Each structure stands twice: as structure tokens, then as C-alpha cells.
């Protein structure tokens, strides 16, 4: 009888120990799960904070560029692009890239998909290549601040100039032989900025020319031919730009400067 009771106690004790071990394991798993939930919540909070910051920055960009006109603008006040006077047209052409940056001798590679002449792989060409002998003068196509004026190792553009224009526009000039402007300098449309060459990934002297609008690559062929005589044509050919609100914003800025 005593032996039986001893065995029964041992079995109960063993059972209790095993149950405590299982409870300990379950508690540890629960604790790990709670930690994972806490980490996920923190990540979600950080992501939400990041998205809020991005939305704030987008709103700031829209406000700075004045991409969206006031909501209270009436149908009668809607801008008629064809009826802008000559003074406003000249002001717009002074601030938005237009005309050729070099003496036009032809286009060797257009905007769009192509086979890269050096890398021999299909890629999207985000600008146009303008034929030019080495040492051909390059001129700014609109008023700007020089954002970058150095040799660029990662893009393959070699000696590169990036001009930051008004209202979200930028122009890029690649493969230069010589840069004569410095970062941070304010330049006017028509100012000399450098000379053509074949630096970087290039198979011969030319100018790689890009136009970007709020980070988006535009086809330069519409802008290099843009002038007072064909002023209205670009509004139909380049549909990526919200011309109505953009021109309205330029007119607002012009009025502020005149006060």
C-alpha cells in the first residue's frame, strides 16, 4: 500500500512538473508574441509618421510651386493660355527652359527607349543627345540656380551641370569637357555655363540635354523649339505639365514681384 502511494505521489509530482514546464513555455511564447506585437506597432507608428511627413512635404511642394490654383477660382477666371499678353510670355520664357542650349547641328539620339551605345543594353534615354564638336559653348535655357557642377561618377554623365529653375523645372547637361559655373551661382537665360565634350560614358563629343519637371523627365524636343512665334504649341504637345495652373502660378509670382 505504501509503495502504491509512493508511486502515485511520484506520478502526480511528475505530472505537476511537466505542467509547470508547459506553462513556462507557453508564458515564454506569449511574452515573445507580445514583444513582436509591440515591435510591429512601433513599425506601424514609424511608417505612419513617415507617410504623414511625405504627405506634408507633398503639400509643401504643391504650395511652393502653386501647382493647384485656389479652390474659389471661377469658370470665368479660368486662364486662357492663348490670350496671355507678350509681356507675360517673355516672363514665362525667361523662367521655363526653352530654346537650344548649343548651336543646333542635329540630334544623334532622341528621347525614349534605345540601345545604349557603350553598355549595349536597352534603356530609356531620359534626354536628347545634340550633335556638337568638342568645345562648343553651352548656354542656360532659362534663369536658374546652379545645383550641381562637378564630375558625376555614378550616372555616366561625366562632367555634369544641373540647373534648378523656377516652378519645379530642372535641366541637365552631360559629358562636358569644361564647366565654368559653380554650385550655388545664380545665372540668367543665355549665360555661358560650359563646353561640350565626351567625358563619362560617351562614344564621342556631344551634349546630353535633359529637362525634368518635379522629378519627371520630359521630352526636350518640344522645349528646344519653343519660342514666342510658336508659343501655344507646347501646351498641346507636352501633356505631362499642368500648364493652366502653372502659368497661373507664374502670373501670381510676377504680380508679387511687381508690388
Amino acid at each position: 500500500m505504501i509503495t502504491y502511494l509512493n508511486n502515485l505521489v511520484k506520478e502526480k509530482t511528475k505530472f505537476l512538473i511537466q505542467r509547470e514546464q508547459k506553462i513556462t513555455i507557453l508564458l515564454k511564447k506569449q511574452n515573445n508574441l507580445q514583444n513582436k506585437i509591440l515591435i510591429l506597432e512601433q513599425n506601424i507608428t514609424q511608417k505612419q509618421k513617415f507617410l504623414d511627413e511625405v504627405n506634408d512635404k507633398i503639400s509643401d511642394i504643391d504650395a511652393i510651386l502653386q501647382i493647384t490654383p485656389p479652390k474659389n477660382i471661377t469658370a470665368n477666371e479660368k486662364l486662357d493660355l492663348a490670350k496671355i499678353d507678350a509681356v507675360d510670355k517673355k516672363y514665362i520664357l525667361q523662367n521655363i527652359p526653352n530654346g537650344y542650349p548649343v548651336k543646333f547641328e542635329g540630334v544623334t539620339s532622341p528621347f525614349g527607349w534605345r540601345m545604349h551605345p557603350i553598355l549595349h543594353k536597352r534603356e530609356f534615354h531620359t534626354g536628347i543627345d545634340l550633335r556638337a564638336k568638342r568645345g562648343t559653348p553651352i548656354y542656360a535655357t532659362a534663369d536658374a540656380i546652379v545645383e550641381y557642377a562637378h564630375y558625376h561618377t555614378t550616372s555616366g554623365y561625366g562632367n555634369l551641370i544641373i540647373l534648378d529653375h523656377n516652378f519645379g523645372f530642372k535641366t541637365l547637361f552631360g559629358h562636358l569637357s569644361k564647366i565654368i559655373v559653380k554650385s550655388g551661382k545664380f545665372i540668367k537665360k543665355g549665360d555661358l555655363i560650359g563646353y561640350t565634350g565626351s567625358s563619362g560614358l560617351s562614344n564621342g563629343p556631344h551634349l546630353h540635354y535633359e529637362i525634368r519637371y518635379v522629378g519627371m523627365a520630359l521630352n526636350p524636343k518640344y522645349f528646344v523649339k519653343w519660342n514666342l512665334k510658336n508659343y501655344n504649341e507646347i501646351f498641346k504637345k507636352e501633356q505631362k505639365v499642368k500648364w493652366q495652373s502653372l502659368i497661373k502660378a507664374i502670373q501670381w509670382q510676377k504680380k508679387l514681384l511687381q508690388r
Side-chain angles (χ1 to χ4, degrees):
M1 184 69 177
I2 295 174
T3 303
Y4 171 75
L5 289 173
N6 284 334
N7 289 334
L8 185 62
V9 169
K10 287 181 180 178
E11 288 179 2
K12 290 291 184 182
T13 303
K14 183 179 179 181
F15 172 77
L16 289 172
I17 291 172
Q18 289 177 340
R19 197 171 81 168
E20 286 179 358
Q21 289 175 340
K22 288 181 179 179
I23 290 172
T24 301
I25 292 170
L26 287 173
L27 288 173
K28 188 178 288 185
K29 287 182 178 180
Q30 185 182 26
N31 187 50
N32 289 337
L33 185 60
Q34 287 177 339
N35 287 336
K36 288 181 179 179
I37 291 172
L38 181 61
I39 292 171
L40 285 173
E41 289 176 346
Q42 290 174 344
N43 287 337
I44 290 171
T45 301
Q46 290 176 351
K47 294 289 185 184
Q48 186 60 52
K49 184 179 179 182
F50 173 75
L51 288 173
D52 290 341
E53 289 175 353
V54 169
N55 287 332
D56 288 342
K57 287 179 180 178
I58 290 173
S59 298
D60 289 343
I61 290 172
D62 285 345
I64 292 169
L65 299 180
Q66 301 184 40
I67 297 303
T68 306
K71 292 182 180 180
N72 59 354
I73 200 167
T74 65
N76 292 331
E77 293 174 314
K78 189 176 180 181
L79 182 66
D80 187 345
L81 295 172
K83 294 182 180 179
I84 299 173
D85 63 35
V87 175
D88 280 347
K89 288 179 180 179
K90 288 180 180 179
Y91 183 80
I92 289 165
L93 290 173
Q94 188 73 24
N95 284 275
I96 297 179
N98 62 92
Y100 286 97
V102 294
K103 182 181 178 183
F104 183 64
E105 299 288 347
V107 175
T108 58
S109 186
F111 179 88
W113 288 99
R114 68 166 187 177
M115 187 65 67
H116 194 284
I118 303 296
L119 300 177
H120 302 294
K121 65 177 183 180
R122 193 168 182 266
E123 65 164 19
F124 193 87
H125 192 218
T126 52
I128 58 174
D129 289 345
L130 295 168
R131 181 181 286 109
K133 295 179 180 178
R134 180 182 177 86
T136 300
I138 304 168
Y139 302 98
T141 51
D143 293 357
I145 297 291
V146 180
E147 178 181 302
Y148 187 91
H150 301 284
Y151 190 92
H152 202 273
T153 56
T154 57
S155 65
Y157 290 165
N159 288 322
L160 173 68
I161 294 175
I162 301 177
L163 300 184
D164 189 0
H165 305 281
N166 245 330
F167 305 103
F169 284 91
K170 290 186 181 184
T171 49
L172 287 77
F173 308 79
H175 309 301
L176 278 62
S177 62
K178 185 178 181 181
I179 296 171
I180 64 169
V181 290
K182 295 182 179 180
S183 299
K185 181 181 178 182
F186 175 75
I187 57 173
K188 302 287 287 181
K189 176 179 171 61
D191 283 353
L192 180 66
I193 60 174
Y195 296 91
T196 59
S198 187
S199 57
L201 286 177
S202 170
N203 61 353
H206 70 283
L207 175 66
H208 173 82
Y209 179 57
E210 289 187 25
I211 296 178
R212 297 180 185 178
Y213 175 63
V214 197
M216 175 174 51
L218 304 178
N219 193 338
K221 79 173 184 178
Y222 303 127
F223 292 85
V224 293
K225 297 177 181 179
W226 189 25
N227 54 50
L228 277 173
K229 293 181 179 179
N230 61 6
Y231 180 82
N232 295 322
E233 290 182 12
I234 198 168
F235 304 136
K236 297 177 181 178
K237 292 181 177 179
E238 182 49 79
Q239 299 293 323
K240 294 179 182 178
V241 178
K242 298 179 181 179
W243 291 110
Q244 285 278 354
S245 53
L246 180 62
I247 302 302
K248 191 71 177 178
I250 292 174
Q251 289 183 322
W252 291 335
Q253 185 196 66
K254 182 169 172 283
K255 288 179 181 178
L256 288 174
L257 292 173
Q258 291 174 340
R259 288 179 182 177

